[in-house]
Amino acid sequence: MPICPPSSDSAPSPGLGGRALIFHFHGLALGAAVAAAAAAAYLYRRPGGFRSRAVGIIPARFASSRFEGKPLAPILGKPMIQRTWERVMLASSLDHVVVATDDERIAECCRGFGADVIMTSESCRNGSERCCEALQKLDKNYDIVVNIQGDEPLIEPEIIDGVVMALQRTPDAVFSTAVTALKPEDASDTNRVKCVLDNQGYAIYFSRGLIPFNKSGKVNPQFPYLLHLGIAGFDSKFLKIYPELPPTPLQLEEDLEQLKVLENGYRMKVIKVDHDAHGVDAPEDVEKIEALMRARNIQ
């Protein structure tokens, strides 16, 4: 596989037809919740506003059991990591965007199309730890770190902005993410992570299995199942301690990083968006992405 397929255009590509995204923010309860939010706001208060500076970090690694070299896989003539970076660069809420990798092939490719690159250790166990290391190597301080998976070449910049806004509006949360409607055909796909929320928009649980799961054992076509999208916003202070938190049983069983946040008692704000999710988990997904891009006339 070539290090970086040639590309004549490294400028961010246009949006996906201007589709409206629907964000749902639930108000905090009164009383104790308001007091807690006020205390947290004071704790995190910084010049220029609460959690005002945000950086987007795209962790990328070459090794993968399901799809080796995935970040460099060409999608309509551009490597996947470039497609993702171009979408991220359109987000208005980010002050800076970097790619974090431990592989010089990926780094060389990213520098070639103009991305800033932070080299990280091969010992990083997951994308969150890679983001943490990259954050500490940056020469500026940031209040929010958005971890955008490099295999989301059609990520909507508005979703990134929504995840940032969620952390700015909910001082008691240290983590934010996004969900969308789950397609019935994805109900049993373990690569499609499902999510359930409480009535204030905070995460209760994530699973590779269908949740909730009813006693009939069948998908209920009337139930609004939720699909987790590959994006995570961290309060930067929390991200710095995240790698020190010991692995948790549910995290290890489901192999989902976000469960370590919940199992350790931290709150996670979730936004609901209208998004036709198209992540790349396996080589056969590339053809699906390319077909969709052609149908939408995305260059």
Side-chain angles (χ1 to χ4, degrees):
M1 177 182 295
I3 288 180
C4 187
S7 171
S8 60
D9 180 14
S10 62
S13 57
L16 300 181
R19 287 180 294 151
L21 295 174
I22 304 172
F23 297 100
H24 302 263
F25 294 99
H26 299 266
L28 291 173
L30 296 176
V34 172
Y42 178 81
L43 173 65
Y44 285 102
R45 186 173 56 194
R46 297 177 172 93
F50 175 60
R51 292 174 175 163
S52 60
R53 290 184 55 80
V55 59
I57 301 180
I58 308 171
R61 64 190 184 98
F62 192 89
S64 172
S65 58
R66 289 179 296 177
F67 193 172
E68 187 176 38
K70 180 166 62 171
L72 303 183
I75 297 181
L76 294 186
K78 293 181 182 180
M80 186 185 313
I81 188 69
Q82 181 178 353
R83 291 285 182 187
T84 301
W85 176 82
E86 289 177 352
R87 301 298 301 167
V88 176
M89 289 293 289
L90 295 174
S92 62
S93 60
L94 300 179
D95 298 283
H96 190 37
V97 177
V98 300
V99 175
T101 185
D102 60 4
D103 192 283
E104 189 55 43
R105 290 165 291 187
I106 295 175
E108 180 182 344
C109 175
C110 293
R111 295 186 188 107
F113 59 75
D116 288 337
V117 177
I118 298 289
M119 297 304 296
T120 54
S121 170
E122 294 182 0
S123 64
C124 294
R125 293 170 293 184
N126 51 51
S128 298
E129 291 191 7
R130 198 172 303 283
C131 286
C132 178
E133 182 179 336
L135 174 66
Q136 298 181 63
K137 291 183 176 181
L138 292 171
D139 57 4
K140 292 184 179 180
N141 294 323
Y142 296 93
D143 308 316
I144 294 174
V145 178
V146 185
N147 174 350
I148 305 107
Q149 293 185 12
D151 58 6
E152 293 281 347
L154 297 183
I155 184 69
E156 301 274 9
E158 293 89 350
I159 294 177
I160 298 171
D161 294 336
V163 166
V164 171
M165 189 183 301
L167 276 181
Q168 292 172 334
R169 291 186 174 185
T170 50
D172 60 337
V174 298
F175 187 108
S176 62
T177 189
V179 295
T180 192
L182 178 72
K183 297 177 181 178
E185 60 267 29
D186 291 334
S188 60
D189 188 343
T190 57
N191 290 322
R192 302 291 187 249
V193 177
K194 294 79 176 175
C195 177
V196 288
L197 310 177
D198 68 14
N199 59 12
Q200 291 183 319
Y202 292 90
I204 297 175
Y205 193 65
F206 296 85
S207 180
R208 295 185 180 277
L210 183 65
I211 52 174
F213 192 77
N214 61 56
K215 63 182 180 180
S216 75
K218 299 178 182 179
V219 176
N220 178 1
Q222 304 303 317
F223 191 86
Y225 299 102
L226 298 175
L227 172 69
H228 182 228
L229 301 179
I231 185 169
F234 289 88
D235 177 274
S236 61
K237 289 183 177 180
F238 174 72
L239 180 59
K240 290 176 181 178
I241 68 170
Y242 174 87
E244 307 305 319
L245 297 175
T248 54
L250 295 175
Q251 173 204 0
L252 295 174
E253 182 64 19
E254 297 263 16
D255 190 21
L256 295 174
E257 298 175 45
Q258 59 270 34
L259 289 178
K260 185 166 77 165
V261 179
L262 296 180
E263 284 185 88
N264 277 284
Y266 294 95
R267 302 201 80 184
M268 183 184 303
K269 189 67 173 178
V270 182
I271 62 171
K272 294 180 180 179
V273 301
D274 180 12
H275 177 67
D276 196 5
H278 292 281
V280 177
D281 297 302
E284 54 268 26
D285 292 330
V286 172
E287 291 185 8
K288 299 176 184 177
I289 289 285
E290 290 183 330
L292 179 65
M293 292 175 67
R294 290 190 185 98
R296 296 181 179 174
N297 197 29
I298 300 174
Q299 304 300 317

